Amino acid sequence: MPKQAKWEAFRVEQAFQVDLRGVVDLLSRHLYSSPRVYLRELLQNAVDASTARAALDGPAAGSGPARVRIETGGGSLRVHDDGIGLTEDEVHRLLATIGRSSKRDELGFARSDFLGQFGIGLLSAFLVADEIEVVTRSARPGDDGAPSPAVRWTGLASGHYRVERAERDEPGTTVTLRPRPGASDLMSPATVADLARTYGGLLPIDLTVDGTEITGDGPSWRAAHPDPARRRRALDAYCRETFGFDPFDVIDLDVPEAGLSGVAFVLPQAVPPTSRGAHRVYLRRMLLAENVEGLLPDWAFFVRCVVDAGELRPTASREALFEDELLDATRQALGEGVRQWLVRLAETDPSRMRAFLRLHQLGVKAMALHDDDMLRIVDRWLEFETSAGPMTLSEFRRRHTDARYVTGVDEFRRLAAVSGAQGVGLVNGGYVHDTEIIERLPDIDPDARLRRLEPAELTTAFGVLDPDTELRLRPFLAAAQRAVERLGCEVVVRDFDPASLPALYLTSRAAQHRAELEEARELAGDLWSDVLGALGSTTPADRPQLVLNHRNPLTRRIAALRDPELAETAVQALYGQALLLGHHPLRPADSAVLNRSFLGLLDWAVHTTALEDGQ
């Protein structure tokens, strides 16, 4: 026999074998976050069956909302609906087939007005029970035109099922569960009532648990109120009940293409911008989940939403939203709603706008990076740290026609007092998004230009010494230069405010880059040292400057010292103090000089005191 024919003789098409216990374990551990979802899935099936029954009967048969009754007691849970029911053939094909994605289409359940999109919902009952009993009777007549008979389907967690005739007078379905050991609490009357209220409290049906009405008047944001003030009080109460806080404000949400309506509650306290907003989402008024993420853009971290959507798709677990183009468009539309609220707030209530910005400025800053309207709000209302105190950017530009900014908080702290004293306005751009916002200002105002400050430029605003004083200080300057020559620093003497500052260490960005290259070169091997050396040699950078303040009394006394060695030690101490006050990083050589100067001055002070005491 040829080899090919031999293999074809063994080629037999087989069906996959499904281990139902393994499937149930997969559902409980990886698909559903909690076994509590079993009641949601049973409610979903009951509501969809009722919807299909209404479509079959037509509008002429309308007799009020669908009815779903849940009963506990006798050690079991029963869910009754008067929906479309199933025939015996449908029971075999639909209830006993796992993962058949088209089986709901056969009943017409794939249309958008049905809650369910997946055929695994009934399996969730195996999370709490080892046996599921379904007694059903189809509302459709049989092939001979006679009413369809009732059928009982019993599914077992072992992977087996049986089908037999049953007794049921009216079309509909009853699902009965008996808790497995350890799951009794999930089917207790109190727990079942709580789960039914949580998942189905907004459903437009007549839902009862042991005779007690569960469903209310529908979504709170759709309820009619005599005036806006009463509506706001009602929504505040709803927010307290749902999220546990009194909202700063309430924003109505509406996205028609997603069939979405709802409200966003603005948080009354600051939260980190990295916090993930957890929102309460209903799909056709059935609760999807209470902690859905990704519904709004990341920058809108300061709101919590409750929405009901008719067109968004759930994931297979029905605990999150499926990422598709519609969800992305909805996310952008909801973000636009929040943005418009901010614009209206800025235009109509400036005091509340300032209060909001004090709480949630990071979110608004994030919006301002891409949105001109938000950038105008930030420019006009949000206070930045400046050398003249907290001030809005628009006010700061009005006061300082040649304003500058720096990109680091430490850099601002070491230069703010000095630049302010010289009349150079300075803005701190070192906080999150601040530099990007400052650099975007020309997008809304071509004249709104703040130049980045080059620290070495400040020396041009300092006062220069008169020729006689400068001539007298030349010997001291030579000694001072010797003291810091090995540190790659240049010493200059200027006259500037504040007078309390004896010395200032200034370095340009080019000088910083050169210093970083030198440090990397010292740590690198021979090959990379040559490469970095070549890079450094092509970098035209001025040396950092140690600017001694002649207006400071201590600096003047040091400049008058007759002992060159003592003067060098004192200058090295001023160098170290300037580095520390300016929050500059200390290289090993800087630390060594700082320690040596401290010990040198201490030795000089002790020696001088001993001489004066005659020791």
Side-chain angles (χ1 to χ4, degrees), residues 545-586:
Q545 291 184 333
L546 178 64
V547 185
L548 303 179
N549 187 5
H550 194 258
R551 193 168 296 185
N552 179 266
L554 175 62
T555 301
R556 290 199 300 271
R557 287 197 295 270
I558 292 174
L561 290 172
R562 296 178 180 274
D563 183 346
E565 184 176 349
L566 179 59
E568 289 185 21
T569 302
V571 169
Q572 289 176 345
L574 289 179
Y575 171 83
Q577 189 234 18
L579 288 178
L580 293 175
L581 287 180
H583 301 279
H584 295 281
L586 293 180

mmCIF file of all heavy atoms in Angstrom, residues 545-586:
data_model
loop_
_atom_site.group_PDB
_atom_site.id
_atom_site.type_symbol
_atom_site.label_atom_id
_atom_site.label_comp_id
_atom_site.label_asym_id
_atom_site.label_seq_id
_atom_site.Cartn_x
_atom_site.Cartn_y
_atom_site.Cartn_z
ATOM 1 N N GLN A 545 30.225 79.201 36.530
ATOM 2 C CA GLN A 545 30.739 80.382 37.226
ATOM 3 C C GLN A 545 30.363 80.338 38.702
ATOM 4 O O GLN A 545 29.215 80.042 39.058
ATOM 5 C CB GLN A 545 30.167 81.656 36.611
ATOM 6 C CG GLN A 545 30.681 81.960 35.214
ATOM 7 C CD GLN A 545 30.140 83.292 34.704
ATOM 8 O OE1 GLN A 545 29.079 83.737 35.114
ATOM 9 N NE2 GLN A 545 30.888 83.929 33.811
ATOM 10 N N LEU A 546 31.329 80.645 39.547
ATOM 11 C CA LEU A 546 31.081 80.932 40.951
ATOM 12 C C LEU A 546 31.038 82.448 41.080
ATOM 13 O O LEU A 546 32.070 83.120 40.998
ATOM 14 C CB LEU A 546 32.177 80.338 41.833
ATOM 15 C CG LEU A 546 32.042 80.624 43.329
ATOM 16 C CD1 LEU A 546 30.776 79.976 43.895
ATOM 17 C CD2 LEU A 546 33.274 80.157 44.109
ATOM 18 N N VAL A 547 29.853 82.995 41.241
ATOM 19 C CA VAL A 547 29.661 84.441 41.287
ATOM 20 C C VAL A 547 29.667 84.867 42.752
ATOM 21 O O VAL A 547 28.754 84.544 43.517
ATOM 22 C CB VAL A 547 28.337 84.862 40.614
ATOM 23 C CG1 VAL A 547 28.235 86.387 40.563
ATOM 24 C CG2 VAL A 547 28.256 84.270 39.212
ATOM 25 N N LEU A 548 30.712 85.587 43.155
ATOM 26 C CA LEU A 548 30.810 86.091 44.520
ATOM 27 C C LEU A 548 30.084 87.427 44.617
ATOM 28 O O LEU A 548 30.272 88.313 43.764
ATOM 29 C CB LEU A 548 32.280 86.251 44.919
ATOM 30 C CG LEU A 548 33.140 84.976 44.814
ATOM 31 C CD1 LEU A 548 34.583 85.278 45.204
ATOM 32 C CD2 LEU A 548 32.570 83.878 45.683
ATOM 33 N N ASN A 549 29.285 87.576 45.647
ATOM 34 C CA ASN A 549 28.442 88.758 45.808
ATOM 35 C C ASN A 549 29.164 89.793 46.668
ATOM 36 O O ASN A 549 29.261 89.645 47.895
ATOM 37 C CB ASN A 549 27.106 88.359 46.448
ATOM 38 C CG ASN A 549 26.141 89.514 46.489
ATOM 39 O OD1 ASN A 549 26.411 90.600 45.963
ATOM 40 N ND2 ASN A 549 24.994 89.294 47.131
ATOM 41 N N HIS A 550 29.677 90.847 46.031
ATOM 42 C CA HIS A 550 30.424 91.872 46.760
ATOM 43 C C HIS A 550 29.523 92.661 47.706
ATOM 44 O O HIS A 550 30.007 93.345 48.612
ATOM 45 C CB HIS A 550 31.111 92.825 45.760
ATOM 46 C CG HIS A 550 32.149 93.692 46.396
ATOM 47 N ND1 HIS A 550 31.929 95.019 46.706
ATOM 48 C CD2 HIS A 550 33.425 93.407 46.801
ATOM 49 C CE1 HIS A 550 33.006 95.522 47.264
ATOM 50 N NE2 HIS A 550 33.937 94.568 47.331
ATOM 51 N N ARG A 551 28.221 92.552 47.534
ATOM 52 C CA ARG A 551 27.293 93.253 48.420
ATOM 53 C C ARG A 551 27.162 92.537 49.758
ATOM 54 O O ARG A 551 26.676 93.103 50.734
ATOM 55 C CB ARG A 551 25.931 93.366 47.741
ATOM 56 C CG ARG A 551 24.973 94.324 48.411
ATOM 57 C CD ARG A 551 23.767 94.597 47.539
ATOM 58 N NE ARG A 551 24.161 95.279 46.311
ATOM 59 C CZ ARG A 551 23.308 95.727 45.393
ATOM 60 N NH1 ARG A 551 21.997 95.550 45.570
ATOM 61 N NH2 ARG A 551 23.742 96.328 44.297
ATOM 62 N N ASN A 552 27.605 91.274 49.814
ATOM 63 C CA ASN A 552 27.515 90.487 51.038
ATOM 64 C C ASN A 552 28.700 90.799 51.959
ATOM 65 O O ASN A 552 29.851 90.748 51.519
ATOM 66 C CB ASN A 552 27.491 89.004 50.680
ATOM 67 C CG ASN A 552 27.430 88.108 51.902
ATOM 68 O OD1 ASN A 552 28.467 87.669 52.383
ATOM 69 N ND2 ASN A 552 26.237 87.852 52.396
ATOM 70 N N PRO A 553 28.454 91.100 53.270
ATOM 71 C CA PRO A 553 29.560 91.459 54.177
ATOM 72 C C PRO A 553 30.597 90.353 54.327
ATOM 73 O O PRO A 553 31.800 90.639 54.381
ATOM 74 C CB PRO A 553 28.844 91.739 55.511
ATOM 75 C CG PRO A 553 27.444 92.087 55.127
ATOM 76 C CD PRO A 553 27.151 91.259 53.914
ATOM 77 N N LEU A 554 30.178 89.105 54.414
ATOM 78 C CA LEU A 554 31.125 88.008 54.560
ATOM 79 C C LEU A 554 32.038 87.918 53.354
ATOM 80 O O LEU A 554 33.259 87.715 53.492
ATOM 81 C CB LEU A 554 30.371 86.691 54.764
ATOM 82 C CG LEU A 554 31.247 85.429 54.817
ATOM 83 C CD1 LEU A 554 32.213 85.500 56.001
ATOM 84 C CD2 LEU A 554 30.370 84.177 54.904
ATOM 85 N N THR A 555 31.467 88.056 52.162
ATOM 86 C CA THR A 555 32.291 87.985 50.947
ATOM 87 C C THR A 555 33.320 89.105 50.935
ATOM 88 O O THR A 555 34.479 88.899 50.538
ATOM 89 C CB THR A 555 31.390 88.065 49.713
ATOM 90 O OG1 THR A 555 30.455 86.991 49.725
ATOM 91 C CG2 THR A 555 32.214 87.990 48.434
ATOM 92 N N ARG A 556 32.926 90.287 51.355
ATOM 93 C CA ARG A 556 33.883 91.407 51.381
ATOM 94 C C ARG A 556 35.013 91.135 52.375
ATOM 95 O O ARG A 556 36.190 91.456 52.107
ATOM 96 C CB ARG A 556 33.169 92.704 51.728
ATOM 97 C CG ARG A 556 32.253 93.217 50.623
ATOM 98 C CD ARG A 556 31.946 94.696 50.798
ATOM 99 N NE ARG A 556 31.287 94.971 52.065
ATOM 100 C CZ ARG A 556 29.982 94.956 52.259
ATOM 101 N NH1 ARG A 556 29.186 94.657 51.221
ATOM 102 N NH2 ARG A 556 29.457 95.229 53.434
ATOM 103 N N ARG A 557 34.698 90.535 53.536
ATOM 104 C CA ARG A 557 35.756 90.230 54.509
ATOM 105 C C ARG A 557 36.703 89.165 53.974
ATOM 106 O O ARG A 557 37.917 89.221 54.187
ATOM 107 C CB ARG A 557 35.121 89.768 55.823
ATOM 108 C CG ARG A 557 34.455 90.894 56.614
ATOM 109 C CD ARG A 557 34.203 90.491 58.074
ATOM 110 N NE ARG A 557 33.250 89.408 58.183
ATOM 111 C CZ ARG A 557 31.941 89.601 58.293
ATOM 112 N NH1 ARG A 557 31.442 90.831 58.294
ATOM 113 N NH2 ARG A 557 31.119 88.573 58.402
ATOM 114 N N ILE A 558 36.136 88.156 53.254
ATOM 115 C CA ILE A 558 37.012 87.136 52.667
ATOM 116 C C ILE A 558 37.922 87.752 51.615
ATOM 117 O O ILE A 558 39.114 87.422 51.510
ATOM 118 C CB ILE A 558 36.155 86.003 52.071
ATOM 119 C CG1 ILE A 558 35.445 85.225 53.183
ATOM 120 C CG2 ILE A 558 37.003 85.062 51.231
ATOM 121 C CD1 ILE A 558 34.472 84.172 52.682
ATOM 122 N N ALA A 559 37.371 88.677 50.808
ATOM 123 C CA ALA A 559 38.183 89.321 49.762
ATOM 124 C C ALA A 559 39.291 90.184 50.349
ATOM 125 O O ALA A 559 40.300 90.453 49.673
ATOM 126 C CB ALA A 559 37.277 90.164 48.872
ATOM 127 N N ALA A 560 39.133 90.600 51.620
ATOM 128 C CA ALA A 560 40.145 91.463 52.253
ATOM 129 C C ALA A 560 41.203 90.674 53.004
ATOM 130 O O ALA A 560 42.123 91.275 53.586
ATOM 131 C CB ALA A 560 39.455 92.446 53.200
ATOM 132 N N LEU A 561 41.113 89.352 53.023
ATOM 133 C CA LEU A 561 42.097 88.547 53.732
ATOM 134 C C LEU A 561 43.471 88.717 53.108
ATOM 135 O O LEU A 561 43.624 88.711 51.871
ATOM 136 C CB LEU A 561 41.695 87.063 53.706
ATOM 137 C CG LEU A 561 40.467 86.654 54.539
ATOM 138 C CD1 LEU A 561 40.099 85.201 54.242
ATOM 139 C CD2 LEU A 561 40.728 86.842 56.032
ATOM 140 N N ARG A 562 44.478 88.826 53.979
ATOM 141 C CA ARG A 562 45.856 88.998 53.486
ATOM 142 C C ARG A 562 46.556 87.658 53.268
ATOM 143 O O ARG A 562 47.552 87.599 52.558
ATOM 144 C CB ARG A 562 46.658 89.838 54.496
ATOM 145 C CG ARG A 562 46.114 91.264 54.643
ATOM 146 C CD ARG A 562 46.926 92.028 55.693
ATOM 147 N NE ARG A 562 46.424 93.377 55.853
ATOM 148 C CZ ARG A 562 46.787 94.417 55.099
ATOM 149 N NH1 ARG A 562 47.659 94.239 54.138
ATOM 150 N NH2 ARG A 562 46.286 95.621 55.326
ATOM 151 N N ASP A 563 46.059 86.616 53.893
ATOM 152 C CA ASP A 563 46.679 85.298 53.785
ATOM 153 C C ASP A 563 46.105 84.587 52.546
ATOM 154 O O ASP A 563 44.936 84.188 52.544
ATOM 155 C CB ASP A 563 46.385 84.498 55.045
ATOM 156 C CG ASP A 563 47.067 83.123 55.045
ATOM 157 O OD1 ASP A 563 47.542 82.697 53.976
ATOM 158 O OD2 ASP A 563 47.088 82.466 56.105
ATOM 159 N N PRO A 564 46.871 84.403 51.451
ATOM 160 C CA PRO A 564 46.343 83.773 50.229
ATOM 161 C C PRO A 564 45.823 82.355 50.475
ATOM 162 O O PRO A 564 44.799 81.956 49.922
ATOM 163 C CB PRO A 564 47.538 83.766 49.275
ATOM 164 C CG PRO A 564 48.451 84.819 49.799
ATOM 165 C CD PRO A 564 48.277 84.832 51.290
ATOM 166 N N GLU A 565 46.518 81.604 51.329
ATOM 167 C CA GLU A 565 46.081 80.229 51.579
ATOM 168 C C GLU A 565 44.732 80.208 52.287
ATOM 169 O O GLU A 565 43.844 79.402 51.957
ATOM 170 C CB GLU A 565 47.135 79.503 52.419
ATOM 171 C CG GLU A 565 46.804 78.025 52.639
ATOM 172 C CD GLU A 565 47.913 77.305 53.390
ATOM 173 O OE1 GLU A 565 49.008 77.886 53.552
ATOM 174 O OE2 GLU A 565 47.657 76.157 53.813
ATOM 175 N N LEU A 566 44.574 81.106 53.251
ATOM 176 C CA LEU A 566 43.288 81.184 53.952
ATOM 177 C C LEU A 566 42.186 81.659 53.009
ATOM 178 O O LEU A 566 41.048 81.170 53.066
ATOM 179 C CB LEU A 566 43.403 82.133 55.144
ATOM 180 C CG LEU A 566 42.125 82.333 55.964
ATOM 181 C CD1 LEU A 566 41.632 80.996 56.531
ATOM 182 C CD2 LEU A 566 42.371 83.333 57.103
ATOM 183 N N ALA A 567 42.526 82.590 52.117
ATOM 184 C CA ALA A 567 41.532 83.077 51.154
ATOM 185 C C ALA A 567 41.072 81.940 50.230
ATOM 186 O O ALA A 567 39.883 81.809 49.926
ATOM 187 C CB ALA A 567 42.117 84.231 50.343
ATOM 188 N N GLU A 568 42.036 81.117 49.787
ATOM 189 C CA GLU A 568 41.662 79.987 48.924
ATOM 190 C C GLU A 568 40.738 79.017 49.668
ATOM 191 O O GLU A 568 39.748 78.526 49.112
ATOM 192 C CB GLU A 568 42.923 79.257 48.466
ATOM 193 C CG GLU A 568 43.752 80.038 47.462
ATOM 194 C CD GLU A 568 44.921 79.222 46.952
ATOM 195 O OE1 GLU A 568 44.861 77.969 47.048
ATOM 196 O OE2 GLU A 568 45.896 79.827 46.445
ATOM 197 N N THR A 569 41.045 78.737 50.925
ATOM 198 C CA THR A 569 40.195 77.830 51.708
ATOM 199 C C THR A 569 38.796 78.408 51.871
ATOM 200 O O THR A 569 37.782 77.687 51.758
ATOM 201 C CB THR A 569 40.827 77.579 53.082
ATOM 202 O OG1 THR A 569 42.133 77.029 52.908
ATOM 203 C CG2 THR A 569 39.968 76.623 53.898
ATOM 204 N N ALA A 570 38.718 79.713 52.139
ATOM 205 C CA ALA A 570 37.413 80.354 52.312
ATOM 206 C C ALA A 570 36.612 80.319 51.012
ATOM 207 O O ALA A 570 35.385 80.095 51.023
ATOM 208 C CB ALA A 570 37.594 81.787 52.801
ATOM 209 N N VAL A 571 37.285 80.548 49.869
ATOM 210 C CA VAL A 571 36.585 80.500 48.587
ATOM 211 C C VAL A 571 36.074 79.101 48.307
ATOM 212 O O VAL A 571 34.959 78.908 47.799
ATOM 213 C CB VAL A 571 37.512 80.989 47.454
ATOM 214 C CG1 VAL A 571 36.907 80.692 46.092
ATOM 215 C CG2 VAL A 571 37.781 82.474 47.599
ATOM 216 N N GLN A 572 36.872 78.089 48.641
ATOM 217 C CA GLN A 572 36.401 76.712 48.454
ATOM 218 C C GLN A 572 35.177 76.423 49.328
ATOM 219 O O GLN A 572 34.262 75.702 48.911
ATOM 220 C CB GLN A 572 37.533 75.738 48.780
ATOM 221 C CG GLN A 572 38.654 75.738 47.744
ATOM 222 C CD GLN A 572 39.801 74.833 48.127
ATOM 223 O OE1 GLN A 572 39.912 74.400 49.271
ATOM 224 N NE2 GLN A 572 40.682 74.544 47.175
ATOM 225 N N ALA A 573 35.148 77.012 50.541
ATOM 226 C CA ALA A 573 33.970 76.853 51.401
ATOM 227 C C ALA A 573 32.754 77.530 50.780
ATOM 228 O O ALA A 573 31.638 76.992 50.808
ATOM 229 C CB ALA A 573 34.247 77.424 52.786
ATOM 230 N N LEU A 574 32.948 78.728 50.183
ATOM 231 C CA LEU A 574 31.844 79.403 49.501
ATOM 232 C C LEU A 574 31.367 78.592 48.297
ATOM 233 O O LEU A 574 30.163 78.530 48.007
ATOM 234 C CB LEU A 574 32.277 80.801 49.055
ATOM 235 C CG LEU A 574 32.484 81.845 50.153
ATOM 236 C CD1 LEU A 574 32.931 83.162 49.529
ATOM 237 C CD2 LEU A 574 31.212 82.042 50.961
ATOM 238 N N TYR A 575 32.312 77.965 47.606
ATOM 239 C CA TYR A 575 31.966 77.113 46.462
ATOM 240 C C TYR A 575 31.072 75.952 46.908
ATOM 241 O O TYR A 575 30.021 75.679 46.309
ATOM 242 C CB TYR A 575 33.251 76.592 45.819
ATOM 243 C CG TYR A 575 33.048 75.526 44.764
ATOM 244 C CD1 TYR A 575 32.740 75.874 43.455
ATOM 245 C CD2 TYR A 575 33.179 74.169 45.081
ATOM 246 C CE1 TYR A 575 32.565 74.888 42.478
ATOM 247 C CE2 TYR A 575 33.011 73.193 44.119
ATOM 248 C CZ TYR A 575 32.695 73.551 42.821
ATOM 249 O OH TYR A 575 32.517 72.597 41.873
ATOM 250 N N GLY A 576 31.482 75.264 47.984
ATOM 251 C CA GLY A 576 30.674 74.146 48.474
ATOM 252 C C GLY A 576 29.310 74.581 48.958
ATOM 253 O O GLY A 576 28.292 73.918 48.710
ATOM 254 N N GLN A 577 29.256 75.747 49.656
ATOM 255 C CA GLN A 577 27.971 76.243 50.138
ATOM 256 C C GLN A 577 27.046 76.614 48.978
ATOM 257 O O GLN A 577 25.840 76.357 49.016
ATOM 258 C CB GLN A 577 28.191 77.465 51.035
ATOM 259 C CG GLN A 577 26.935 77.923 51.747
ATOM 260 C CD GLN A 577 26.624 79.389 51.523
ATOM 261 O OE1 GLN A 577 27.142 80.003 50.582
ATOM 262 N NE2 GLN A 577 25.782 79.945 52.369
ATOM 263 N N ALA A 578 27.613 77.182 47.902
ATOM 264 C CA ALA A 578 26.801 77.545 46.744
ATOM 265 C C ALA A 578 26.229 76.301 46.065
ATOM 266 O O ALA A 578 25.079 76.297 45.602
ATOM 267 C CB ALA A 578 27.635 78.358 45.755
ATOM 268 N N LEU A 579 27.014 75.229 46.016
ATOM 269 C CA LEU A 579 26.507 73.980 45.443
ATOM 270 C C LEU A 579 25.359 73.421 46.284
ATOM 271 O O LEU A 579 24.337 72.978 45.755
ATOM 272 C CB LEU A 579 27.624 72.950 45.348
ATOM 273 C CG LEU A 579 28.717 73.171 44.290
ATOM 274 C CD1 LEU A 579 29.755 72.069 44.381
ATOM 275 C CD2 LEU A 579 28.119 73.202 42.885
ATOM 276 N N LEU A 580 25.530 73.441 47.595
ATOM 277 C CA LEU A 580 24.505 72.886 48.471
ATOM 278 C C LEU A 580 23.229 73.714 48.429
ATOM 279 O O LEU A 580 22.119 73.165 48.330
ATOM 280 C CB LEU A 580 25.030 72.808 49.907
ATOM 281 C CG LEU A 580 26.179 71.814 50.147
ATOM 282 C CD1 LEU A 580 26.688 71.927 51.577
ATOM 283 C CD2 LEU A 580 25.725 70.386 49.862
ATOM 284 N N LEU A 581 23.351 75.041 48.499
ATOM 285 C CA LEU A 581 22.167 75.892 48.473
ATOM 286 C C LEU A 581 21.436 75.787 47.139
ATOM 287 O O LEU A 581 20.213 75.915 47.090
ATOM 288 C CB LEU A 581 22.559 77.354 48.743
ATOM 289 C CG LEU A 581 22.938 77.699 50.187
ATOM 290 C CD1 LEU A 581 23.304 79.169 50.288
ATOM 291 C CD2 LEU A 581 21.797 77.368 51.148
ATOM 292 N N GLY A 582 22.192 75.561 46.073
ATOM 293 C CA GLY A 582 21.580 75.458 44.754
ATOM 294 C C GLY A 582 21.122 74.065 44.397
ATOM 295 O O GLY A 582 20.634 73.837 43.288
ATOM 296 N N HIS A 583 21.240 73.108 45.347
ATOM 297 C CA HIS A 583 20.815 71.715 45.119
ATOM 298 C C HIS A 583 21.505 71.112 43.898
ATOM 299 O O HIS A 583 20.909 70.306 43.166
ATOM 300 C CB HIS A 583 19.296 71.629 44.949
ATOM 301 C CG HIS A 583 18.520 72.135 46.117
ATOM 302 N ND1 HIS A 583 18.296 71.393 47.245
ATOM 303 C CD2 HIS A 583 17.933 73.346 46.338
ATOM 304 C CE1 HIS A 583 17.597 72.098 48.120
ATOM 305 N NE2 HIS A 583 17.365 73.287 47.599
ATOM 306 N N HIS A 584 22.749 71.494 43.676
ATOM 307 C CA HIS A 584 23.519 70.905 42.583
ATOM 308 C C HIS A 584 24.081 69.556 43.022
ATOM 309 O O HIS A 584 24.412 69.367 44.205
ATOM 310 C CB HIS A 584 24.673 71.830 42.181
ATOM 311 C CG HIS A 584 24.237 73.136 41.594
ATOM 312 N ND1 HIS A 584 23.814 73.262 40.294
ATOM 313 C CD2 HIS A 584 24.143 74.374 42.147
ATOM 314 C CE1 HIS A 584 23.485 74.520 40.054
ATOM 315 N NE2 HIS A 584 23.669 75.217 41.161
ATOM 316 N N PRO A 585 24.217 68.617 42.115
ATOM 317 C CA PRO A 585 24.833 67.334 42.481
ATOM 318 C C PRO A 585 26.304 67.526 42.814
ATOM 319 O O PRO A 585 26.996 68.338 42.186
ATOM 320 C CB PRO A 585 24.635 66.479 41.228
ATOM 321 C CG PRO A 585 24.471 67.458 40.104
ATOM 322 C CD PRO A 585 23.797 68.659 40.692
ATOM 323 N N LEU A 586 26.785 66.797 43.807
ATOM 324 C CA LEU A 586 28.175 66.896 44.234
ATOM 325 C C LEU A 586 28.987 65.762 43.622
ATOM 326 O O LEU A 586 28.680 64.591 43.825
ATOM 327 C CB LEU A 586 28.276 66.834 45.759
ATOM 328 C CG LEU A 586 27.676 68.005 46.551
ATOM 329 C CD1 LEU A 586 27.862 67.768 48.046
ATOM 330 C CD2 LEU A 586 28.294 69.319 46.139
#
